[in-house]
Amino acid sequence: MLSFIKYLTGDQPDARPALRFFNTMSGEVETFAPLSDREVKMYNCGPTVYDRVHIGNLRAYVFADTIRRTLDQWGYAVNQVINITDVGHLVSDGDDGEDKMEKSAKKRGVSAQDIAQEITDLYFADLDSLGIDRSKITFPKATEFISEQIALVQTLEEKGYAYQISDGIYFDTAKFPAYGKLGNIQLAEQKEGARVEENPEKKNPSDFALWKFSMKGEKRQQEWPSPWGTGFPGWHIECTAMIFKLLGKQIDIHTGGIDHIPVHHNNEIAQAEAATARQYVRYWMHGAFITIENKKISKSLGNTVYLSGIVDRGFSARALRYWFLTGHYRSPINFTWDALEGANTALRNLSRHCLETEGEAEPNATFVADFLAAMADDLNTAKAIARTWDMVKDSSLSPAEKRASLLVADQFLGLGLGDQQAARQLTVEKTIAVDELPENVQKLVADRQSARAAKDFGKADELRAHIDAAGYDIKDSPDGPRVTQKNS
Ligand code: AMP
Ligand code: ZN
């Protein structure tokens, strides 16, 4: 399909509405003007692959994808990088505590590398289900850029920004007077955000580790030789070294969740700008957090929701994406299962409209202009979706015109409208408790379980076919069989 904008403007860049993004650095919505006319360099802080990503993390990547799709549609060539942090991210955002990777590996009795691989694969599967096109993105692993990180620390040392204490090489924030400029962070606030126990050897509380030494007597799984001793890179240096290597010394857009503002991103700015003496990032963009049932997502509260859990309950991953987009990326949103069900239903209706309408038509020009204006206004997806519903309900438009309009809107929204397979996943199938099934199906399920237990898989398959013929789907999960009524 022709790009939305090209369709509208006949490929005349001047006719495109100006894109405006909120820049955390200035605290204002600014007109977007990239370093180069046609290319945009964008870096999105990626996951630390010690544990599965939850739906809060996924919001950050759908946000990045929304920027990406919008830039694509605006005709830019986007060079996008999302890092995979597989070493050096410590339990506290300061520089204390264990490395999350090593801790998780020890706990599960597997190697840090195996965990990284497993979690990265799950992460990629989540991105795929959410309609994020991985083939357009570079995903560097921190462990594959160790020499670049060491070289950057050396540069900082040569320029007088680094000093050594007993547990590592640190950045001296007193030497970088603009420290804390992103989000106007006061040091007290930063310390509070990071909940850091102070290291008495540090010159300033906000100083951060560039390289950490392996502790005496400790054998880390992941450690490397360096000019200062065996150890591993600090989390912050990873992002900057990979950006320098893959995108260059100055980039257009850098994103993350708002939790990254006080520490991680201010540290990135300090080390990058100290090394190059020039501006590091032109537009800093941060996504707000989601809460679950009005509470922070937290392991200790046990309220974490994963995409797999959503799909297990019979919802489509794209329904989660739709739900994310109904809120502006800078607004906190609260997840509830009811809200997800509502999103699933809404998306199913849009999707049906696309799939069940026949005939070709041009998209509605007024709608297109309004939709573009909403996206250009700091990616106001909430407004864009509301406008989409107004268009769908407008009885003066033909079904084909609505369908064509929906399909161009989907270039931005990424909901898979018009995609048969995505639509099939939208039919909410509620798992039916086995004892609520008709008796004959209950028996088939029980017999199949016995056949599986006896490893008689031929018989189990035969019984599955009977269950299928009775109008039910059966899937095996760690908690036993899940039975759902088949879609008619
Ligand atoms: P992490 O792996 O902890 O570095 O997190 C990966 C990304 O998810 C970061 O950009 C975080 O800011 C973001 N993130 C973490 N928790 C949430 C949440 N509850 N809501 C939205 N974004 C989050
Ligand atoms: Zn980062």
Side-chain angles (χ1 to χ4, degrees), residues 43-46 83 85 235-236 238-240 254-255 260 264-265 268:
Y43 183 87
N44 316 113
C45 275
N83 65 299
T85 296
W235 173 40
H236 318 294
E238 294 176 2
C239 287
T240 306
H254 193 315
T255 75
H260 285 342
H264 183 47
H265 287 166
E268 275 197 49

Side-chain angles (χ1 to χ4, degrees), residues 45-48 50 54-61 89 100 235 255-260 287-291 297:
C45 275
T48 303
Y50 70 106
H54 53 62
I55 61 169
N57 306 131
L58 291 174
R59 185 187 192 194
Y61 307 114
H89 192 170
K100 291 185 183 186
W235 173 40
T255 75
I258 45 161
D259 57 324
H260 285 342
F289 264 36
I290 68 168
T291 48
I297 302 180

Side-chain angles (χ1 to χ4, degrees), residues 380-451:
N380 195 338
T381 53
K383 196 167 167 193
I385 289 181
R387 181 65 184 87
T388 302
W389 277 104
D390 287 345
M391 182 274 294
V392 169
K393 288 177 185 154
D394 183 346
S395 55
S396 72
L397 307 183
S398 75
E401 197 176 2
K402 291 180 187 177
R403 176 177 182 274
S405 303
L406 282 171
L407 292 181
V408 281
D410 199 41
Q411 301 287 309
F412 290 82
L413 301 175
L415 299 169
L417 301 176
D419 172 348
Q420 291 279 4
Q421 205 193 334
R424 264 198 296 279
Q425 291 159 1
L426 281 165
T427 309
V428 181
E429 305 161 344
K430 290 260 183 278
T431 303
I432 307 167
V434 174
D435 57 8
E436 284 171 17
L437 291 166
E439 262 177 41
N440 63 325
V441 183
Q442 280 190 39
K443 181 159 184 337
L444 290 169
V445 172
D447 290 351
R448 182 171 169 276
Q449 285 303 92
S450 311

Side-chain angles (χ1 to χ4, degrees), residues 156 159 161 171 176 269-277:
L156 291 169
K159 296 196 171 197
Y161 287 98
F171 185 92
F176 187 77
I269 292 168
Q271 65 201 2
E273 298 190 354
T276 64

Side-chain angles (χ1 to χ4, degrees), residues 150-168:
I150 291 176
L152 183 53
V153 179
Q154 280 176 310
T155 303
L156 291 169
E157 194 177 40
E158 280 156 23
K159 296 196 171 197
Y161 287 98
Y163 65 93
Q164 180 163 349
I165 57 177
S166 58
D167 72 347

Side-chain angles (χ1 to χ4, degrees), residues 107-371:
K107 192 167 141 204
R108 292 180 44 190
V110 291
S111 74
Q113 257 178 346
D114 285 350
I115 293 228
Q117 191 58 53
E118 179 196 325
I119 301 299
T120 304
D121 288 346
L122 289 171
Y123 169 62
F124 284 168
D126 282 358
L127 297 188
D128 294 346
S129 325
L130 286 166
I132 295 172
D133 185 353
R134 280 193 290 127
S135 68
K136 293 178 166 176
I137 308 169
T138 307
F139 292 94
K141 293 181 190 166
T143 50
E144 289 174 356
F145 292 82
I146 298 295
S147 57
E148 285 80 2
Q149 295 172 67
I150 291 176
L152 183 53
V153 179
Q154 280 176 310
T155 303
L156 291 169
E157 194 177 40
E158 280 156 23
K159 296 196 171 197
Y161 287 98
Y163 65 93
Q164 180 163 349
I165 57 177
S166 58
D167 72 347
I169 307 294
Y170 281 70
F171 185 92
D172 186 349
T173 51
K175 297 244 166 84
F176 187 77
Y179 186 81
K181 65 180 170 178
L182 183 71
N184 217 358
I185 298 305
Q186 306 304 315
L187 288 184
E189 214 179 303
Q190 196 211 41
K191 267 163 55 191
E192 202 177 298
R195 293 183 301 277
V196 191
E197 283 292 313
E198 229 162 273
N199 177 340
E201 286 183 65
K202 289 205 300 196
K203 291 188 185 171
N204 313 287
S206 52
D207 292 355
F208 56 92
L210 298 166
W211 184 263
K212 287 214 82 174
F213 301 135
S214 298
M215 300 297 280
K216 291 229 159 44
E218 174 206 29
K219 178 72 190 122
R220 283 177 55 91
Q221 291 190 28
Q222 304 196 105
E223 57 183 12
W224 294 265
S226 83
W228 314 279
T230 301
F232 58 100
W235 173 40
H236 318 294
I237 204 80
E238 294 176 2
C239 287
T240 306
M242 290 191 280
I243 286 177
F244 282 3
K245 174 79 179 177
L246 298 170
L247 295 173
K249 297 278 172 10
Q250 199 180 16
I251 63 169
D252 296 296
I253 299 176
H254 193 315
T255 75
I258 45 161
D259 57 324
H260 285 342
I261 300 171
V263 182
H264 183 47
H265 287 166
N266 270 299
N267 290 356
E268 275 197 49
I269 292 168
Q271 65 201 2
E273 298 190 354
T276 64
R278 58 198 264 222
Q279 187 191 39
Y280 176 43
V281 171
R282 290 165 62 94
Y283 300 90
W284 285 95
M285 297 176 69
H286 293 95
F289 264 36
I290 68 168
T291 48
I292 295 187
E293 309 282 355
N294 289 313
K295 296 200 180 67
K296 188 178 169 213
I297 302 180
S298 131
K299 284 240 171 71
S300 52
L301 291 174
N303 65 349
T304 313
V305 175
Y306 302 96
L307 185 56
S308 57
I310 283 178
V311 173
D312 275 353
R313 286 213 194 184
F315 295 104
S316 148
R318 304 284 180 127
L320 179 69
R321 183 176 179 118
Y322 180 96
W323 175 71
F324 285 151
L325 297 175
T326 55
H328 188 270
Y329 77 87
R330 284 196 288 124
S331 305
I333 45 175
N334 179 46
F335 177 87
T336 62
W337 289 101
D338 282 350
L340 186 67
E341 182 142 13
N344 203 89
T345 307
L347 182 52
R348 189 170 56 220
N349 290 338
L350 292 182
S351 171
R352 275 200 185 136
H353 188 91
C354 287
L355 292 171
E356 291 169 7
T357 303
E358 287 179 358
E360 293 297 316
E362 295 296 314
N364 180 264
T366 315
F367 165 71
V368 168
D370 290 351
F371 189 95

Side-chain angles (χ1 to χ4, degrees), residues 4-163:
F4 199 164
I5 307 292
K6 282 184 188 153
Y7 169 79
L8 190 74
T9 64
D11 204 16
Q12 291 170 35
D14 293 347
R16 293 172 184 136
L19 274 179
R20 303 177 76 236
F21 295 145
F22 181 85
N23 187 349
T24 310
M25 186 56 90
S26 63
E28 282 171 16
V29 177
E30 296 176 17
T31 300
F32 178 69
L35 288 158
S36 128
D37 249 10
R38 300 263 46 92
E39 196 209 17
V40 175
K41 296 174 179 184
M42 173 163 80
Y43 183 87
N44 316 113
C45 275
T48 303
V49 285
Y50 70 106
D51 197 4
R52 281 186 299 164
V53 300
H54 53 62
I55 61 169
N57 306 131
L58 291 174
R59 185 187 192 194
Y61 307 114
V62 168
F63 160 48
D65 192 50
T66 306
I67 303 176
R68 159 126 223 166
R69 283 171 177 271
T70 304
L71 293 169
D72 281 347
Q73 294 302 316
W74 246 251
Y76 292 111
V78 185
N79 191 351
Q80 184 182 5
V81 174
I82 302 182
N83 65 299
I84 302 289
T85 296
D86 55 356
V87 69
H89 192 170
L90 304 186
V91 172
S92 108
D93 255 5
D95 299 299
D96 295 308
E98 270 183 279
D99 180 328
K100 291 185 183 186
M101 294 301 304
E102 301 262 333
K103 185 176 174 194
S104 178
K106 252 184 251 163
K107 192 167 141 204
R108 292 180 44 190
V110 291
S111 74
Q113 257 178 346
D114 285 350
I115 293 228
Q117 191 58 53
E118 179 196 325
I119 301 299
T120 304
D121 288 346
L122 289 171
Y123 169 62
F124 284 168
D126 282 358
L127 297 188
D128 294 346
S129 325
L130 286 166
I132 295 172
D133 185 353
R134 280 193 290 127
S135 68
K136 293 178 166 176
I137 308 169
T138 307
F139 292 94
K141 293 181 190 166
T143 50
E144 289 174 356
F145 292 82
I146 298 295
S147 57
E148 285 80 2
Q149 295 172 67
I150 291 176
L152 183 53
V153 179
Q154 280 176 310
T155 303
L156 291 169
E157 194 177 40
E158 280 156 23
K159 296 196 171 197
Y161 287 98
Y163 65 93

